[in-house]
Amino acid sequence: QVQLVESGGGLVQAGESLSVSCVASGVIYTIGAMGWYRQAAGKQRELVATITGGHSAEYADAVKGRFTISRDNAKKTVYLEMNSLKAEDTAVYYCYVESLVTPRSRLRDLWGQGTLVTVSS
């Protein structure tokens, strides 16, 4: 069974840095685009960053220049390094996988359980 397991997150002061990571567990042959979304209290979930299997990355305007997404295909892991954090970055951060191939099937639109990032001002 495939799962996305996130780690990292926590409480930091504004201006500090934090990293979160997400590993896809289970027997997996290939993974397509991976990414991070976030959802602040009372707001809709929004895209933070995505990265293709070829390591091409895109970012939301709100995080450009501050956040860096990366992935390790061998480890089936996607990372999000967050620098110069602001109070408005406070949210639950969700890992996302567009598609992946297992021995039995191709799965689409997988989500992690979410990890809370709190930035105090």
Side-chain angles (χ1 to χ4, degrees), residues 93-113:
Y93 283 71
Y94 295 92
C95 174
Y96 170 75
V97 168
E98 182 184 57
S99 68
L100 57 80
V101 178
T102 73
R104 291 192 171 189
S105 64
R106 184 183 192 96
L107 304 177
R108 297 185 182 274
D109 299 326
L110 285 77
W111 293 91
Q113 80 283 0

Side-chain angles (χ1 to χ4, degrees), residues 56-100:
S56 176
E58 293 187 355
Y59 298 90
D61 288 342
V63 306
K64 279 182 182 176
R66 299 188 298 121
F67 290 13
T68 301
I69 189 171
S70 61
R71 63 189 283 171
D72 184 326
N73 291 331
K75 294 182 178 180
K76 299 176 290 184
T77 301
V78 61
Y79 307 93
L80 184 68
E81 180 181 349
M82 301 176 285
N83 298 314
S84 302
L85 282 160
K86 305 175 182 179
E88 50 263 43
D89 294 318
T90 295
V92 176
Y93 283 71
Y94 295 92
C95 174
Y96 170 75
V97 168
E98 182 184 57
S99 68
L100 57 80

Side-chain angles (χ1 to χ4, degrees), residues 16-33:
E16 293 183 341
S17 300
L18 194 65
S19 294
V20 291
S21 62
C22 171
V23 59
S25 65
V27 180
I28 299 169
Y29 290 155
T30 60
I31 302 177

